[in-house]
Amino acid sequence: MSPSMKTDGFKPLGETLSGERAQLLQAFHKQGLPGPRSENWKYTRLKELAEREWRAAGKAGIDGATELLAQAEELAGKDLPCLVLLNGRFQPELSRLGTLPAGCEAGALEPADETALLAAAIQRGGERHPLDTLNAAAFQGGAVIRVQPGAQAALHLVHLLSESGEDATCLQSRVRVEVGEGAKLELRESFLADAPSAEILAGQVAEIRLARDSRCEHIRLQRAGSVEWLYTLQHIDQLSGSRYDGLTLGLDGQLVRNESSACLRESGAHCDFSSLGLLDDVRHMDSHTWMDHAVPSCTSGQNFRSVLADRSRSVYSGHILVRQDAQLTDAVQDSKALLLSAEARANARPQLEIYADDVKCTHGSTVGSLEEEQLFYLRSRGIDSVRARQLLVRAFCAEVLESLSDSSFRERLETLVGERMENIHG
Amino acid sequence: MSDKTHLSEDEQHLEDLTNADYKYGFVTDIESDSLPPGLDEEVIAAISAKKNEPPFMLEFRLRAFRKWQQMEEPDWAKLKIDPVDYQAISYFSAPKKKDGPKSLDEVDPELLETFEKLGIPLGERERLAGVAVDAVFDSVSVATTFKEKLTELGIIFCPISEAVQNHPELVRKYLGSVVPTGDNFFSALNSAVFSDGSFVYIPKGVRCPMELSTYFRINAQNTGQFERTLIIADEGAQVSYLEGCTAPMRDENQLHAAVVELVALDEAKIKYSTVQNWYPGDKNGKGGIYNFVTKRGLCAGRASRISWTQVETGSAITWKYPGCILKGDDSVGEFYSVALTNNFQQADTGTKMVHIGKNTSSTVISKGISAGQGQNTYRGLVEIHRGAEGARNFSQCDSMLMGDRCGAHTFPYIDVRNPKAKVEHEATTSKISEDQIFFCQQRGIDLEEAVSMIVNGFCKEVMSELPMEFAVEAQKLLGVSLEGSVG
Amino acid sequence: MIKISDLHASIEGREIIRGIDLEVRPGEVHAIMGPNGSGKSTLANVLAGREAYEVTQGSVEFLGKDLLELEPEVRAREGLFLAFQYPVEIPGVSNTYFLRVALNEIRRHQGLDELDALDFLELVRTKVRELHMREDLLERQLNTGFSGGEKKKNEILHMAVLEPKLAILDETDSGLDIDALRIVADGVNALRAENRSFIVVTHYQRLLEYIVPDRVHVLSEGRIVRSGGSDLALELEEKGYGWVQEEQA
């Protein structure tokens, strides 16, 4: 057991908690925050987090919510029905759910969901991820999205994050997604923050269940501005023939930790995790994956990329587990980091753990800068070096976005990435 | 007896004891020269005193011991291991006379069969099987010839205990310079209690004219469970060293915690090859050696080169990460590894490549083969420091699984802090296909030969790095180690 | 040479070969033709001893021995050679080394002395020249990274070196351009001898223009539905497989 850090800074959260939630917070105190000697937190330090005094967000509104929302919709698509959470709390007046197709319901977490969730959290006790325990104890709200068997739906889920008062604000929310048999969900999720310097710890835990032959395309746009800590834990549970395609675009946030795990529990399921991080300044983005091939004949892919400028840092830690029964697994893992500055740093831990012999597993990982050869080639065709670099970086990013099915959405993202790259000094 | 004068003190000691034993017929004299099990500062002082070491060695040992006491055993990520009782080990015992066989006729026929399969030269079989003394004396003259040749060139090659006496300045300067006493739990323990091992010094500009293996194989002896090796190649020097042998080595000591340190100065080259075939335990996973080794090379000088090649087929548990610290600009580190686990064997091995100097480069080729219920883990670190402009690493880790009860795991760690560096890692997993086997059989090749051939093909890039004479034996070794695992 | 009687074979419970009788005498070349799925390749693989196929009925006598009782490698050592439709890649194993091991296994089985590396190299180089192949074929890893045509040529080289008594060519012509086809055919023709027989499995008549068979058999749904001389192949080419199938019906 690696030594963990004290959680005294989270005690104020307990003032408003009772019953199961208080119990869960106690469990969190007992677990402690993962320390630097914990294998999974080797490259991401939570020391500063442990040093603050965290309080729960109040119920205050948010200035400029409409503008933020407009900005989010501009990118994600204005026509999509949208569900807005402010600090985890459902905002009916900002949401637009009237256009949801039949067979799809979306809204706030119901009390019944909450009860079930807390019961499950208690049952699992100290076994769980400490940040998951913290979330279960302190979540202020969340959303439920259900797509009935055979139905099809597209939805934009917006998380507005806002600090309250002078204290450090702890925001926790929870999302539950269920896609019925043969159903299809296109989910776009935006994270946005209001203040220029927000002393916020935003945590989100999502559970996504895919029934047989269902499909979910899930794009997360993390534009959390200056939010200091953003962590997301999502778990995908897949039945036979289902397909999950997840893409995370990390554009903001000072310290971001995204953990995605999938359990492929019936044959013929496919899960794909990809991520693109554009990092500058001292930003830190840490992506962890856990791909559990529990049964035969499932496939999975992982494609993680980051572009790093200034003193930024990216971490990729991917794990593919192929259990003994999981013959005929085909799992691929690919991570690439592009270092644009002498002070940037990239870590990669692409891991394979294989207990079946008839499987195809590969992983590749590269860290480096732009290829001089390619730069030279472009320059020899008359493109100046600044433009040539931009071009190559955009090409590097475009490969992650390629898989998106909606071409106009993809183009908007490419433009955004392009603009962002122009501001990042290479 | 004049031809024995070159024998090291330890060897002399051993001989005396052996003779004494014969003379008196019992072991009382030996017992008086052993320390009771357990470890504390007094025991360490006693070890140092018995070996008549200069004060700096005692300090070295004590420093290591104090650090060891503060340390915890590593947390066995993917290994299942029975706890080791460190206080139950006797840390200094003069080699016991074993009730060994008197001739090859008395040796376990299964072992002889293995020798045959491996193509071990007849002259060596006796020694490997533990047949007593005479065989060794036969080869003494050969060894002497080698030794004379080396001395002419100024090469020092001797037991490390002898180097402590005769070349204290070199030992003092380099011992612990690559693997600090407190590097890890086992290296700290080794530093505190090591009994003996090899010392090599190649002077400036000298290219060692022979594989040091040749000598080593003839003169190898029981260096105990805490072996210590130190090899220094001065500016422009070159040496190739081979450790171990393909024959199954049986040993009563369950725990082996060796430390190997290599130092390459400007433009020096060291090639260190290992064939490890310690007793792996039986088919049910009973017994077998725990092989916890710390091996590290320091490319101290500009354009120096250190190359590790290992073929690991033995031991119940292997835990080793031969690494290179690439400090000198333009230095090169290489790691070529084959690790095979069958039955209940577990291997957790890989390398650490630490790039500090400019334009340093490293290559890692790892081939893991898992059969039976064997677990095979590659664990490697590639670290590019801020100043390592132009550094390059290429790693390739391929696993082959045979059967559905084994495991193959790949845990690389990549840490890059220089944008002008490039690190690439690739890994694949495969199995031997039925089509491949059938194709071989259709050409008249039987199942076991086919498996051996396919596995050797899989390992080719590594095998081709081994010195010629060992490559042939190592190839056979892979085949023999896999017997009965397919079909 | 080989006598197949009432052979039935199935894979995963599905019967593919449904009663084949065929006798090939020393020195003869028999062609087995038939549409896709008629059981041609299955027959070739059953004779070579591939485990996935289960012989459910019938017998095969090869040079006086019960072929079906023998392990695949023993069949090879007894002189049966299968040129694979899809030759297998074995990375890291050189073509020459592989062939030497194979040849020596066969020689040992036949009570001959093993060839050392040098003698073998000379032998294999001569064969390569005779077959008008490129010598680099020898140094490369067994079929690894070979083009389709190179793999098929390499099978002919293996055959020439191992000098089998009965060679079965399983669609060796598929995917070959005209030059490669000629090299393959020349290789086979050069090996034709009084005491050596061939079974040429093919979908097209094209190969049989170069390797003229003594007998042609048409396979359909696991049975030989028609046998004849070499002109049967031409007739098939003209009328298509529909013709025999209709006739059968």
Side-chain angles (χ1 to χ4, degrees), chain B residues 435-436 441-444 460, chain C residues 50 76-77 82 89 92 155:
Chain B
D435 284 350
Q436 284 176 322
Q441 288 180 318
Q442 210 302 302
R443 296 295 186 263
K460 185 168 189 278
Chain C
R50 195 186 276 273
R77 292 169 194 172
L82 171 67
E89 299 187 359
E155 291 293 274

Side-chain angles (χ1 to χ4, degrees), chain B residues 364-367 394-398 424-428 461:
Chain B
V364 176
I365 309 285
S366 163
K367 307 279 179 178
F394 175 75
S395 305
Q396 190 182 322
C397 302
D398 298 323
E424 290 174 274
H425 176 97
E426 287 172 12
T428 62
E461 291 151 283

Side-chain angles (χ1 to χ4, degrees), chain C residues 89-221:
Chain C
E89 299 187 359
I90 305 184
V93 175
S94 93
N95 203 11
T96 314
Y97 176 73
F98 178 84
L99 258 180
R100 181 157 66 91
V101 173
L103 179 63
N104 280 334
E105 289 288 354
I106 293 171
R107 289 179 66 97
R108 202 162 60 196
H109 184 78
Q110 296 174 350
L112 300 169
D113 283 342
E114 293 186 24
L115 289 186
D116 66 22
L118 281 177
D119 289 343
F120 177 75
L121 203 61
E122 205 179 301
L123 168 79
V124 78
R125 281 199 177 133
T126 313
K127 297 286 184 188
V128 166
R129 268 196 303 277
E130 284 171 5
L131 293 168
H132 305 286
M133 293 180 188
R134 288 159 51 113
E135 211 163 281
D136 68 353
L137 212 59
L138 293 174
E139 286 142 36
R140 290 162 64 185
Q141 301 178 12
L142 183 56
N143 290 328
T144 309
F146 282 27
S147 70
E150 283 174 329
K151 284 182 184 171
K152 296 296 178 72
K153 282 195 245 174
N154 197 35
E155 291 293 274
I156 300 302
L157 173 64
H158 282 200
M159 179 173 78
V161 171
L162 303 180
E163 299 184 325
K165 299 193 179 77
L166 171 66
I168 303 166
L169 278 60
D170 186 8
E171 307 229 7
T172 301
D173 53 332
S174 66
L176 289 189
D177 63 27
I178 194 73
D179 292 334
L181 188 69
R182 186 162 287 154
I183 288 180
V184 165
D186 288 351
V188 172
N189 288 329
L191 282 170
R192 286 179 79 154
E194 271 179 30
N195 56 355
R196 182 174 292 132
S197 311
F198 291 85
I199 296 175
V200 180
V201 171
T202 181
H203 185 78
Y204 301 104
Q205 181 266 340
R206 193 174 65 150
L207 179 66
L208 304 182
E209 284 176 19
Y210 299 94
I211 306 172
V212 182
D214 298 304
R215 298 284 293 163
V216 175
H217 310 278
V218 181
L219 211 60
S220 177
E221 293 176 11

